[in-house]
Amino acid sequence: MLTYIARRLAIGLLMLVALSMLVFVLLRLAPGDPIDAYINPNVAMSQAEMAALRARLGFDQPLPIQYLAWLRAAVTGDLGYSIQKNGVKVLPLVLERVGPTVLLMFLALVIAIVGGIAAGIISAVQRNSATDVGCSVAAFVGISSPPFLTAILGLYVFSVVLRWSPSGGMLTPGTPFSLSDLLSHLVLPACLLSIGHAALIMRYMRASLLEVLNQDYVRTARAKGVKELWVIIKHATRNALLPVVTLIGSSIGMAVGGAIFMESVFNWPGMGLLLVNAVDTRDYPVIMGATLIIGACVILVNILTDVAYALVDPRIRVA
């Protein structure tokens, strides 16, 4: 197991380097000159001053040299300085946004996992019933709804029309911190973010459980007189969870993309909002730093998901 984890970590490190290289190149290939982001448009600069600034920032070097210089600094934890925030270091700027994003994604995934698995079990047990049809229709609608549309509609219905939830932010400005205030701001974006993932988990759980319920060992348990509820919980559900665990691991990466839309719409102070603002202002160091941290988190979660396979199904042994 330790050898497998070490091998996956090494592969994950190579993937992270490849990701940073791809983002670095794409940023440099974007229209416009990167030096423009460092120049105050209200202050006139001569060509000599611009050339000196370009040389100081390393933009006069070939692209591979620029990337290697950034990578050498990133390995030591130096991700540079934000352009738009008066020289604030990128690493602490990104890390202070990790907490809100993790909180939002964690609650959304908990809602999606609990709700999706429960709906999948109910739908499979009551196959072809009105409940099954209703759950399937709801799942198809959830899968088909893009996160940005879900966020905008949810904000309009629950915050503007019904006024059940605050329209944005993480806390109410000017009031002392309280858990109830935090939850009132958190619940709506978390529920909206969980819709698509819950729908996918429900479909996977239903299909997997239907397949398991037709296995010989389930019929044997029923023939021995085991109660149906115990058959479903002990014998069927655990063995049906393996594809769902796979989906949950991949959902972390997809939740990052959805969180970017949710944080933008609800002004949630996480990494997604930071990344959107950095792209809007062409803050290259922040874009690179946020992408690196997000990529590292996604890769780490995928490794943990692979290790969890053996815990969910004892028949699996990591090769």
Side-chain angles (χ1 to χ4, degrees):
M1 178 69 76
L2 292 178
T3 303
Y4 171 77
I5 294 175
R7 185 167 64 248
R8 286 302 311 274
L9 287 174
I11 296 174
L13 184 61
L14 294 176
M15 293 174 60
L16 197 59
V17 172
L19 173 65
S20 65
M21 186 183 304
L22 177 62
V23 175
F24 190 90
V25 172
L26 289 177
L27 287 176
R28 292 298 186 268
L29 293 178
D33 192 338
I35 198 68
D36 293 340
Y38 292 84
I39 297 176
N40 187 345
N42 299 319
V43 178
M45 292 185 67
S46 64
Q47 292 297 325
E49 290 174 329
M50 290 187 63
L53 179 61
R54 188 184 301 276
R56 181 167 63 85
L57 296 174
F59 290 153
D60 60 334
Q61 300 294 323
L63 194 59
I65 302 300
Q66 294 183 39
Y67 173 75
L68 290 176
W70 177 87
L71 183 62
R72 189 183 306 112
V75 169
T76 64
D78 182 10
L79 298 179
Y81 295 85
S82 171
I83 301 172
Q84 302 298 325
K85 294 187 178 296
N86 299 321
V88 177
K89 283 191 173 183
V90 171
L91 184 58
L93 182 65
V94 174
L95 291 180
E96 72 179 10
R97 299 295 189 100
V98 172
T101 296
V102 170
L103 180 62
L104 175 62
M105 290 178 55
F106 175 77
L107 182 59
L109 289 175
V110 168
I111 295 173
I113 292 169
V114 174
I117 290 178
I121 293 174
I122 294 172
S123 184
V125 172
Q126 302 183 23
R127 183 180 183 182
N128 296 329
S129 66
T131 302
D132 181 26
V133 174
C135 290
S136 298
V137 170
F140 283 125
V141 172
I143 294 172
S144 304
S145 302
F148 69 87
L149 179 61
T150 303
I152 294 174
L153 289 178
L155 176 66
Y156 176 74
V157 172
F158 295 103
S159 295
V160 178
V161 178
L162 299 177
R163 298 184 181 276
W164 288 357
S165 172
S167 59
M170 185 174 177
L171 298 169
T172 303
T175 60
F177 172 82
S178 67
L179 183 59
S180 60
D181 185 36
L182 174 62
L183 290 176
S184 68
H185 288 77
L186 175 62
V187 168
L188 179 58
C191 289
L192 294 175
L193 181 58
S194 70
I195 289 176
H197 306 290
L200 281 173
I201 291 173
M202 178 266 168
R203 295 298 301 168
Y204 270 73
M205 188 66 199
R206 178 185 182 277
S208 180
L209 187 58
L210 286 176
E211 182 178 353
V212 171
L213 288 175
N214 291 324
Q215 298 297 318
D216 291 338
Y217 64 87
V218 174
R219 288 194 289 267
T220 301
R222 286 170 173 164
K224 289 181 177 180
V226 180
K227 293 183 179 180
E228 183 67 18
L229 179 62
W230 192 246
V231 170
I232 294 172
I233 295 176
K234 182 179 179 180
H235 298 278
T237 300
R238 183 179 180 183
N239 292 316
L241 279 176
L242 185 58
V244 178
V245 172
T246 307
L247 180 63
I248 291 172
S250 62
S251 294
I252 302 295
M254 294 186 293
V256 172
I260 292 176
F261 292 109
M262 290 298 165
E263 291 181 5
S264 301
V265 172
F266 286 92
N267 198 31
W268 185 263
M271 286 192 295
L273 183 60
L274 176 67
L275 186 58
V276 169
N277 291 336
V279 172
D280 185 51
T281 58
R282 301 185 68 177
D283 197 336
Y284 295 103
V286 173
I287 296 174
M288 289 296 302
T291 303
L292 189 69
I293 299 298
I294 292 173
C297 292
V298 172
I299 290 172
L300 181 60
V301 168
N302 285 331
I303 294 174
L304 293 176
T305 302
D306 289 342
V307 175
Y309 291 167
L311 300 178
V312 175
D313 192 340
R315 296 172 298 178
I316 293 179
R317 293 295 180 264
V318 179

